[in-house]
Amino acid sequence: MASSAPPLRIFCVEDNPLIIFQIEAMIEDLGHIFAGSAISFADLVKRQDLRGIDGVLVDIDLADGRTGPDVAIWLSEQGIPSIFVTGQEALAAAYSQVVLAIMGKPVSEIELAEKLELFRDTNRCSRGR
């Protein structure tokens, strides 16, 4: 991450605590802010702390089923960009129009760093309109 760029605030929708922990550590190692997590679509929509989020990393299979696509659609309707982080890449591809990118698991820190910059680019474009 460029030192002059402000850190991104990243939220994660994932039901596996080990993966959440790994992603949180990578986000922070990259100089960004891990802004919290939800384990399901139902959990996410109850959250009141999504203001100021730059982007959301979303798994396909969550605690309430295969609701990741619903999460991505809902986030898009809220004006919040998302990226799929999943082992279900073929299924994720069917919803590629509502996300900025798709990352397969396991996630590498290099790929995560590259994909997180898409949130910066998207937010810059939407603020510039």
Side-chain angles (χ1 to χ4, degrees):
M1 184 179 85
S3 59
S4 63
L8 294 166
R9 292 181 44 80
I10 307 299
F11 194 88
C12 185
V13 183
E14 166 67 60
D15 65 335
N16 183 323
L18 295 176
I19 294 173
I20 293 169
F21 180 74
Q22 176 194 26
I23 289 174
E24 177 180 5
M26 285 193 287
I27 287 169
E28 292 175 351
D29 286 349
L30 291 167
H32 299 298
I33 298 164
F34 183 79
S37 64
I39 62 169
S40 67
F41 184 32
D43 186 25
L44 176 69
V45 298
K46 290 185 232 172
R47 300 299 292 247
Q48 301 295 315
D49 58 351
L50 295 178
R51 296 193 70 190
I53 297 296
D54 292 301
V56 180
L57 303 176
V58 180
D59 190 13
I60 295 286
D61 293 317
L62 300 168
D64 51 0
R66 192 160 279 174
T67 57
D70 296 325
V71 167
I73 292 166
W74 183 83
L75 287 167
S76 178
E77 291 169 352
Q78 309 307 309
I80 302 170
S82 63
I83 293 173
F84 282 132
V85 179
T86 183
Q88 303 284 338
E89 293 172 78
L91 179 60
Y95 296 92
S96 62
Q97 72 281 2
V98 296
V99 295
L100 298 178
I102 299 168
M103 283 190 287
K105 290 179 180 174
V107 176
S108 75
E109 191 166 306
I110 292 169
E111 183 181 20
L112 182 63
E114 292 170 3
K115 296 293 196 254
L116 290 181
E117 288 306 310
L118 294 173
F119 291 137
R120 189 180 311 284
D121 295 342
T122 299
N123 289 325
R124 185 180 305 126
C125 290
S126 65
R127 288 181 191 127
R129 288 185 199 150

